[in-house]
Amino acid sequence: SQELEQSPQSLIVQEGKNLTINCTSSKTLYGLYWYKQKYGEGLIFLMMLQKGGEEKSHEKITAKLDEKKQQSSLHITASQPSHAGIYLCGADKNYGQNFVFGPGTRLSVLP
Amino acid sequence: DTEVTQTPKHLVMGMTNKKSLKCEQHMGHRAMYWYKQKAKKPPELMFVYSYEKLSINESVPSRFSPECPNSSLLNLHLHALQPEDSALYLCASSQDRGRSTNEKLFFGSGTQLSVL
């Protein structure tokens, strides 16, 4: 089965600081997704990475997938209070429909 | 329209009640999902429908009964729930995950369910 781990479990940073969240898989990832969730709300899609070494950016968020396709990082530059929430990585458990999530990283950004 | 709409947003029910959660999307997606999320935990897959047929049931108790009346609608019928079933129930859809991986899931905002 596809098991995903995330670190850190939680993170508190001062506004304006940079931060990195990691997602590690026990198996090769065929697609790695990053989602953000506000407490008690739905998930918002951030980015999808497919190829080893791939890197994508959107506004101040950059996600990378390593060459071995077993680890991904999410980097936020100059964090803002609006970045606060739970960041979840996700991947396919098997070919097709069974999509699973990592345990999540809770981010708080202090103004 | 890139939204997945879930109703109701909040639901409180007793253990003897029967209720239904509803999910709707108009993106032409052919795969729809129910996830359950307990507090401070990641979402856990419950059911997947692909082309209106149930394709995955993750050993969910029979007190949860999914239904897909058409390609745009997904229901979750609830009966005789237990207090431990209290959670956020999330619906999602994707283009057609039955045939390929690497498809983005679009999530609704969820129904917060409390079972008394």
Side-chain angles (χ1 to χ4, degrees):
Chain A
S1 62
Q2 182 74 66
E3 297 293 338
L4 297 173
E5 297 180 355
Q6 286 186 238
S7 63
Q9 186 176 16
S10 62
L11 192 55
I12 302 174
V13 299
Q14 201 71 38
E15 182 176 0
K17 296 294 186 183
N18 302 335
L19 63 103
T20 299
I21 299 168
N22 294 301
C23 176
T24 304
S25 170
S26 56
K27 297 185 176 183
T28 299
L29 296 163
Y30 293 99
L32 188 285
Y33 302 73
W34 283 101
Y35 282 86
K36 178 186 175 184
Q37 185 179 29
K38 290 285 192 181
Y39 298 106
E41 298 181 8
L43 280 69
I44 300 168
F45 172 80
L46 295 175
M47 271 171 275
M48 179 182 79
L49 303 166
Q50 293 179 257
K51 301 176 183 177
E54 187 175 9
E55 179 176 322
K56 288 186 178 179
S57 294
H58 178 66
E59 296 181 343
K60 295 185 178 181
I61 301 177
T62 299
K64 301 178 184 179
L65 183 61
D66 74 340
E67 290 290 344
K68 290 185 178 180
K69 296 172 67 176
Q70 286 189 276
Q71 186 168 355
S72 178
S73 61
L74 186 81
H75 184 77
I76 299 177
T77 304
S79 58
Q80 300 169 354
S82 60
H83 288 127
I86 303 166
Y87 288 81
L88 295 148
C89 64
D92 290 294
K93 188 174 180 179
N94 296 303
Y95 182 85
Q97 302 172 321
N98 199 338
F99 188 88
V100 294
F101 290 94
T105 295
R106 294 174 172 268
L107 172 64
S108 300
V109 180
L110 303 178
Chain B
D1 183 1
T2 58
E3 282 193 355
V4 176
T5 303
Q6 288 188 245
T7 56
K9 290 192 181 301
H10 302 275
L11 179 62
V12 179
M13 61 185 291
M15 290 189 284
T16 58
N17 291 158
K18 285 185 180 181
K19 297 286 184 182
S20 296
L21 309 185
K22 297 185 183 299
C23 176
E24 189 170 3
Q25 57 87 14
H26 295 288
M27 294 178 278
H29 289 173
R30 303 313 299 266
M32 296 186 77
Y33 311 72
W34 281 115
Y35 280 84
K36 174 183 178 180
Q37 186 177 25
K38 299 285 281 184
K40 299 187 179 181
K41 296 289 186 182
E44 294 181 352
L45 184 66
M46 299 174 73
F47 303 104
V48 180
Y49 272 83
S50 179
Y51 286 82
E52 300 160 48
K53 294 188 188 306
L54 184 64
S55 58
I56 293 180
N57 176 342
E58 288 287 326
S59 302
V60 179
S62 59
R63 58 186 184 269
F64 295 91
S65 175
E67 178 196 19
C68 190
N70 60 57
S71 59
S72 299
L73 295 174
L74 184 66
N75 299 321
L76 186 63
H77 303 298
L78 314 172
H79 175 54
L81 294 193
Q82 303 297 312
E84 59 264 30
D85 296 322
S86 299
L88 180 68
Y89 288 84
L90 293 162
C91 173
S93 71
S94 68
Q95 189 71 31
D96 178 10
R97 285 182 77 78
R99 297 182 180 178
S100 67
T101 58
N102 302 330
E103 283 190 356
K104 183 170 69 174
L105 270 67
F106 291 76
F107 282 85
S109 55
T111 294
Q112 188 66 54
L113 174 67
S114 297
V115 182
L116 305 179

